[in-house]
Amino acid sequence: MVEHMHIAGSRLDHVFHALADPTRRAMLQSLASGERTVSELAEPFTMSLAGASKHIKALEAAGLVTRDIRGRQHLCRLQPGRLAEAHEWLSFYERFWTERLDALDALLRLPEPDNQRPPVPPSEPKGDDT
Amino acid sequence: MVEHMHIAGSRLDHVFHALADPTRRAMLQSLASGERTVSELAEPFTMSLAGASKHIKALEAAGLVTRDIRGRQHLCRLQPGRLAEAHEWLSFYERFWTERLDALDALLRLPEPDNQRPPVPPSEPKGDDT
DNA sequence: CGAATACTCAACCACATGGTTGAACATATG
DNA sequence: CATATGTTCAACCATGTGGTTGAGTATTCG
């Protein structure tokens, strides 16, 4: 498997790319408390409406936002599914940072001088994916 | 607060940007099963070594990978902290998709025709951030 | 109808990105 | 020492990105 999960590939590309921009993250945050029109989403920023519209299109392309055209205004709403996918993707690595915390915890609990290795923490955390 | 969390901003920019590339995600996956030299990380891909080196630099800039120069080869290892931050950031929206699942679940459990609303799930989940 | 509003589209710009190549650097090794 | 190996660096190129502006399309309103 190319990716460690069933996820199609370019989907995550778009989601993470959309998330990599602070303007778009702020828009998501705004959408987290309810539907917003394009103007409402654009209002907090100094950029032009067309500029904000592009950001919203990026969020749409990533599947993070859907649009409901209601009259002359476009209602945008959060679509959490893809966010959940990204979260799930990151969860794969969760064992990694919890393992590291466990190792640190264990190290702190036994202060024996014999156990003093150079600061090169666990290098092979069980290769279970090859 | 600009972001809904204490996270500095440009940090997440770099992390999500690093994650938006399939080559870099594959590199992280490789690093998840142990340390890798630059050549080892580059080997699965068709690109030049210099190209792969740039990707690794992007991962380093995002704080996802650290480098341990050992002789003439550079040992890279996963640094899960920033991944944990991104995961935590996404967790903010977790309530959002679980709410939606809860609503769907509730809808499926009571098949009363009076309760048949259009498929427009919760739009105002308590704005607690402004 | 005509005009204001909400928004998109297309063209354009400066700059970042992902990729290449060839040269340079540092370290092993014969 | 000379040479091979592992890696980076700098220059370059094509394309993508975030932003602008100005015009165009619907829709509502007087």
Side-chain angles (χ1 to χ4, degrees):
Chain A
M1 56 185 89
V2 179
E3 297 276 348
H4 59 66
M5 288 297 262
H6 42 84
I7 298 173
S10 61
R11 290 243 291 253
L12 273 185
D13 290 19
H14 289 130
V15 171
F16 282 132
H17 172 254
L19 259 33
D21 187 286
T23 299
R24 291 193 288 260
R25 286 201 304 275
M27 285 177 167
L28 288 182
Q29 183 181 339
S30 173
L31 287 170
S33 54
E35 297 174 336
R36 297 277 184 265
T37 70
V38 169
S39 308
E40 286 170 344
L41 281 176
E43 185 267 335
F45 309 103
T46 65
M47 78 184 69
S48 67
L49 230 196
S53 177
K54 280 197 190 179
H55 280 295
I56 297 173
K57 279 192 71 177
L59 292 169
E60 259 187 308
L64 298 177
V65 160
T66 54
R67 183 186 303 245
D68 189 13
I69 301 181
R70 192 186 158 99
R72 64 181 160 181
Q73 52 194 11
H74 298 198
L75 258 297
C76 299
R77 99 167 49 104
L78 228 187
Q79 205 71 28
R82 298 289 166 81
L83 281 179
E85 281 182 12
H87 190 261
E88 184 188 352
W89 188 90
L90 281 168
S91 293
F92 173 82
Y93 296 91
E94 193 163 16
R95 73 183 176 93
F96 218 99
W97 64 74
T98 54
E99 265 179 20
R100 175 157 297 200
L101 289 181
D102 288 353
L104 177 61
D105 185 63
L107 198 63
L108 291 178
R109 280 176 196 283
L110 35 102
E112 301 175 9
D114 292 56
N115 221 21
Q116 298 265 1
R117 297 177 186 170
V120 184
S123 44
E124 295 281 350
K126 300 165 201 143
D128 55 302
D129 60 329
T130 51
Chain B
M1 58 186 88
V2 179
E3 297 276 348
H4 59 67
M5 288 297 259
H6 43 86
I7 299 173
S10 60
R11 290 244 290 253
L12 273 185
D13 290 18
H14 289 130
V15 171
F16 281 132
H17 172 254
L19 259 32
D21 186 286
T23 298
R24 292 192 288 260
R25 288 200 305 276
M27 284 176 166
L28 288 182
Q29 183 181 341
S30 173
L31 287 171
S33 54
E35 297 175 337
R36 297 275 184 265
T37 70
V38 171
S39 309
E40 285 170 345
L41 280 176
E43 185 266 335
F45 309 103
T46 66
M47 78 184 70
S48 66
L49 231 194
S53 177
K54 279 198 190 177
H55 280 295
I56 296 173
K57 279 193 70 176
L59 291 169
E60 257 186 311
L64 298 177
V65 160
T66 55
R67 183 187 305 245
D68 189 13
I69 301 180
R70 194 185 156 97
R72 64 182 160 182
Q73 52 195 10
H74 298 199
L75 259 297
C76 299
R77 96 167 52 103
L78 228 188
Q79 206 70 28
R82 297 289 166 80
L83 281 179
E85 281 182 13
H87 189 261
E88 184 188 352
W89 187 90
L90 281 168
S91 294
F92 173 81
Y93 296 92
E94 192 164 16
R95 72 185 177 95
F96 220 99
W97 65 74
T98 54
E99 265 178 20
R100 176 159 297 200
L101 289 181
D102 288 353
L104 178 60
D105 185 63
L107 200 64
L108 291 177
R109 281 177 194 283
L110 35 102
E112 302 175 11
D114 293 58
N115 219 22
Q116 297 267 358
R117 296 178 188 169
V120 185
S123 44
E124 293 282 350
K126 302 164 201 137
D128 55 303
D129 59 327
T130 50

